[in-house]
Amino acid sequence: MKNKIFSIFFFLLIFTVTSAQTKVRVYGYVIDTSNRGIELANVYFENTTIGTTTNQNGYYELITEVRDSATIVYSMLGYQTVKHTIHPRQKVIQISVELAALSKEISELNVVGQRRQTSTIDMLDPSKYRVIPNSSGGIESLLITFTGVSSNNELSSQYNVRGGNFDENAVYVNGIEVYRPLLVRSGQQEGLSFINPDMVQNVSFSSGGFDAKYGDKMSSVLDIDYKKPTNFEASYSLSLLGASAYLGTAGKKFTQMHGIRYKTSQYLLGTLDTKAEYKPSFIDYQTYLTYQLKPKVELTFLGNFSQNSYFFKPTERETEFGTYNMGRKLTVFYEGTEKDLFQTAFGALTLNYKPKKGLKLTLLTSAFNTNENETYDILGEYILSEVKMDLKAENKNGESLGVGKYQEHGRNKLNATVTNIGHLGEYDIENNKIKWGVNLQSEIITDKISEWEWRDSVGYSLPFSDQQVNLFYNLKSKSYLSTWRTTAFIQDTYKLKADGGTFLFTGGLRAGYWNFNNELLVSPRLSVAVLPHWERDFTFRLATGVYYQAPFYKEIRDTVTDALGNINVNLNNNIKAQRSLHFVLGGDHYFRAWGRPFKFTTEAYMKLADRVESYTIDNVRIRYSGENDAKAYTAGVDFKLFGELVPGADSWINLSLMNSKEDIIGDSYLKNSFNDNGEVVSSETIYPGWLSRPSEQRYTFSMLFQDYLPNNPKYKMHLKFIWSDGLPIAAPRNSKFSTAFREVGNRMPPYRRVDIGASRVLINGSDRMMSRAWLKHVKSIWLNLEVFNLLDFKNVNSYYWVTDIYGQQMATPNYLTGRQFNVKIMVDLK
């Protein structure tokens, strides 16, 4: 009896072991005979419903339970079907297959995986990068890892492109240009950018040489397309930096999207040197509605309201700077507060009509309003002292080098309304794609500025006078501007197929007129793309054209100083649009390495500019001279390696080298020589000539790397790394000193930053805990842990200038945020 029981037990044990299922992850690529990834190929287990399709790079991934063996089928219309049998001796198996075309006729119709870039516009799918560590909360933080793009302030969503400043970047959402607040002085005030990442379908970006359909900016264009839901979708997220919620639905004729975002940077600002009561509160609501009036007629509405509220009550600051042999410490004790409120509203109504195949006509109208109030009264008393290099903290304090006071006062109000009405058209006919547009814009701006700064150094008011007390800086202005401008463009893209390759020619003409300065602008643009029929996969492109920076309100403000030292603002109606001639030559090489797809891009460029307005940058505030007083040039080269360093996960590495100089026409300063008694013995007039532009960053290296655990790809890691040259240093509100300082090549330290994030995704139907009844409407949950500024680099984005007892001007760095942790949860509903 015992033997029978033992035999039955042994049989059941063997049956259980041999019939046990093993969970297996199979991944790889499906490629054609030209070594290109095949998109939308079917990959499935034979005689089951378990399967998937390949992405644009031909990548696929399957996870299932297998007993002893299984057969995977690879198929695609126009290609021979391939089968592969696996035996799950390993939990992770990589299989890449090559599909041969059934015939030459059909093979010509296949979908090529990687999109060939035939213009200077680079495209990005934002859905792939939702969990990238991001302290600003916007799409723009992803842009700074593109070639030619740089930033030196993680608190701001602004960016520089190939030597240009923030105002030289055009931003479009669904074909409509959007604006940002005008009075923002620092990244702490800025808040949320216009673009809501939850609502974005496609991101297109160009660093220069873009088509005539894009507006009058000299540096770059960011073109955003909001998505149109096809069914119900919703998500929400929560982190230490804020929260967001998104809802999208679709019916037979009506679709809608709603997104609301809340951001507070209070947690990040706690790492700054200035200890204060920070109360930043930023909220934004957006909606995008579409309604199909008729089969060929569609009506859409895009609406936005945002409010940025910033309260700042500083108490003290302690900043150490200098070198090992000459350390300095600035200690400041504060009184006073700053209260800012920026409110913007935007609405755009669009009517799309498609009378026949290939023809699209659009009528659009939009309105933008910004109401900005900036109020501050801050008094600071500072001590500048030596720092001794001693291991003991109590022995580090040295003698005092200077004491002083300052008071900053501001009562600034600005209200601006911009309205548009326009028409866009697009017509595809044979090998031509013609686009055109016309727009009429009205601008009404009211601006009241009252700000001053008083400084006292070692008991003397600056600038010193034995007759009166002078203010260090005093600006008053009351301006009203009501103008209109009109723009129009037409362009055609012609596609030519020849034995040697495929050629695309895009030529366009853009024109504009502004009644404020009565200036007519004409901007011809041309680009050529070549896709040669070579054994190796290359594309080449050349773009050139004339680009204008049509002046807006900030550019026309010309400051005039009266006999008492007061600065007033005059609106200069003699100002001309800044003009730049672009040359861009680039190419891409598509290849496979380690069985994975890669693209190596090189672009060389030159920009020759005249009628330039000189400017200075302090944090994120740009101050223009209000005159066409300079000429400039920028030349450089960008390199980018894009691909799957890890199968199925996009990563890229960028290197940009640049030289950007400007020559302010007629500028000079007096250089004095002194004897031992401090008397001037000789003077020499210095003409500086070509100097570094305020936004010149001679090199930028950036990297975005994504990885996951091979045995469980639900655990992911994301790394973003930036190392860029420091900006030239210029003392604000002192043109002579700024010129002399820039002439000797003084710069901020390099901007270095490493952000890293780790995430785990829980998927309904895959993870056991997601099978609970109360989670039945949850599609997935992302759990993220982020570390900002992992290596705790002390980055600088501006300086405060103080005077010591020896009369030397010293630049005290304003450091950016330190290392900080963030926890974020994102939930997708179904």
Side-chain angles (χ1 to χ4, degrees), residues 775-811:
L775 292 173
K776 64 180 181 179
H777 295 297
V778 176
K779 182 179 179 181
S780 63
I781 299 176
W782 284 93
L783 305 174
N784 304 320
L785 174 63
E786 301 171 329
V787 185
F788 302 131
N789 197 2
L790 176 66
L791 302 181
D792 202 24
F793 289 121
K794 295 185 74 67
N795 292 310
V796 179
N797 82 322
S798 62
Y799 289 88
Y800 181 75
W801 296 80
V802 297
T803 305
D804 64 13
I805 58 176
Y806 306 108
Q808 296 178 331
Q809 289 272 357
M810 306 203 68

Side-chain angles (χ1 to χ4, degrees), residues 532-556:
H533 294 165
W534 294 350
E535 183 178 348
R536 294 189 175 183
D537 205 346
F538 285 89
T539 63
F540 301 97
R541 56 189 172 273
L542 171 68
T544 185
V546 178
Y547 295 82
Y548 288 95
Q549 180 77 17
F552 198 59
Y553 177 66
K554 288 197 299 184
E555 288 96 321
I556 66 176

Side-chain angles (χ1 to χ4, degrees), residues 274-275 314-317 332-336 378-381 406:
T274 301
K275 305 307 175 186
T315 55
E316 62 178 312
R317 164 183 173 172
V332 187
F333 300 96
Y334 294 101
E335 293 180 10
I378 296 178
L379 174 66
E381 299 184 13
Y406 71 90

